[in-house]
């Protein structure tokens, strides 16, 4: 029952590490795994994952956003970014292996330990895909955010930072819509759109070797000539 939940992110991480030109990212992935183990241990000893949920959107959204996505991602990556003595380019490209390895441990732990009884299709199948798309798109945005700071003008900086914020904020909204029992289309349609845009961004970035500078690369059918 938990197979897909457990193997999706590790499989994506393994593919990334095997295909990576710089094998120095392997210790970064190990750092993410150790960070997740520490994070899970702290939550297990000092907090209770299960809670009495509210029926309204905002409290649940805040809980998912800060407890499962934004705070863990920010804490792990920012600590690595500011404590690491590696080059800036290496710290930037380490975003995906670090966070993917972290969530490969943290996400299954949170789903399995946080559910009181039965597990839904969303938790076992859709949520892992949602998080993989979030990590893929966010790491892509991080690379372009730092690249934009080497250019004149604020337009691209604002666009890429805004895109990064949207990418980090949407998954919690999708999960909250599912959690509070909104009609299935209210969370399934945004889930499908999010996955589609993430896949398009990944494929377009691979196709043009990260030469495109516009967040429009997340749109289907985006051409390099249209940047």
């Amino acid at each position: 029952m938990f197979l897909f939940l457990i193997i999706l992110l590790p499989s994506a991480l393994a593919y990334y590490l095997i295909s990576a030109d710089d094998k120095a990212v392997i210790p970064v992935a190990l750092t993410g795994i150790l960070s997740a183990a520490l994070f899970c241990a702290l939550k297990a000893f000092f907090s209770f994952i299960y809670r009495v949920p509210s029926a309204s959107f905002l409290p649940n959204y805040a809980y998912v956003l800060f407890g499962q996505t934004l705070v863990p991602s920010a804490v792990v990556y920012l600590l690595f970014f500011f404590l690491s003595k590696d080059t800036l380019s290496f710290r930037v490209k380490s975003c995906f292996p670090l966070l993917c390895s972290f969530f490969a441990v943290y996400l299954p732990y949170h789903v399995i330990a946080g559910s009181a009884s039965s597990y839904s299709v969303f938790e076992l199948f859709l949520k892992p895909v949602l998080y993989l798309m979030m990590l893929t798109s966010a790491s892509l945005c991080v690379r372009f955010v730092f690249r934009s700071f080497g250019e004149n003008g604020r337009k691209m900086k604002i666009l890429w930072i805004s895109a990064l914020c949207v990418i980090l904020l949407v998954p919690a909204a999708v999960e909250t819509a599912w959690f509070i029992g909104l009609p299935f289309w209210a969370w399934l349609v945004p889930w499908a759109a999010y996955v589609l845009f993430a896949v398009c961004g990944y494929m377009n970035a691979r196709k043009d070797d990260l030469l495109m500078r516009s967040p429009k690369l997340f749109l289907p059918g985006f051409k390099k000539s249209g940047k």
Side-chain angles (χ1 to χ4, degrees):
M1 180 171 65
F2 300 115
L3 183 62
F4 186 80
L5 169 68
I6 293 172
I7 69 170
L8 179 64
L9 290 180
S11 298
L13 177 63
Y15 173 78
Y16 177 89
L17 296 178
I18 291 171
S19 59
D21 295 329
D22 188 355
K23 299 304 180 184
V25 294
I26 294 178
V28 174
L30 295 177
T31 300
I33 294 173
L34 294 176
S35 300
L38 177 61
F39 215 96
C40 293
L42 291 175
K43 288 184 72 71
F45 284 113
F46 298 107
S47 68
F48 294 98
I49 291 182
Y50 184 71
R51 65 189 180 95
V52 178
S54 168
S56 58
F57 184 88
L58 286 179
N60 288 293
Y61 178 70
Y63 174 80
V64 175
L65 178 66
F66 294 110
Q68 298 185 35
T69 56
L70 192 59
V71 170
S73 301
V75 169
V76 172
Y77 184 63
L78 291 178
L79 282 176
F80 170 81
F81 187 87
F82 289 110
L83 294 179
S84 174
K85 296 182 179 180
D86 294 301
T87 63
L88 176 61
S89 61
F90 182 80
R91 284 177 283 168
V92 169
K93 74 177 181 180
S94 295
C95 181
F96 180 80
L98 178 70
L99 293 182
C100 188
S101 60
F102 176 85
F103 279 101
V105 176
Y106 183 69
L107 179 60
Y109 166 79
H110 214 284
V111 170
I112 295 171
S115 294
S117 55
S118 60
Y119 301 91
S120 70
V121 171
F122 182 89
E123 292 174 298
L124 297 177
F125 298 99
L126 302 187
K127 186 172 180 176
V129 174
L130 188 66
Y131 273 62
L132 177 58
M133 297 300 101
M134 177 187 73
L135 297 174
T136 303
S137 300
S139 61
L140 183 61
C141 281
V142 166
R143 297 176 75 170
F144 278 109
V145 165
F146 281 95
R147 180 172 294 184
S148 69
F149 278 95
E151 302 174 355
N152 294 325
R154 294 186 298 176
K155 181 179 178 180
M156 284 298 105
K157 298 181 182 66
I158 295 173
L159 284 176
W160 280 112
I161 292 173
S162 299
L164 178 60
C165 291
V166 170
I167 286 167
L168 293 175
L169 294 176
V170 168
V174 173
E175 181 172 354
T176 303
W178 161 79
F179 183 77
I180 64 175
L182 292 183
F184 77 93
W185 53 263
W187 52 266
L188 186 58
V189 172
W191 178 90
Y194 189 87
V195 171
L196 173 63
F197 293 142
V199 170
C200 289
Y202 173 76
M203 297 303 296
N204 286 330
R206 280 176 57 90
K207 179 174 58 180
D208 285 305
D209 194 26
L210 293 179
L211 292 176
M212 293 178 291
R213 300 177 181 178
S214 170
K216 290 181 181 179
L217 68 87
F218 289 104
L219 299 178
F222 179 63
K223 304 296 184 181
K224 183 179 177 181
S225 59
K227 63 185 178 181

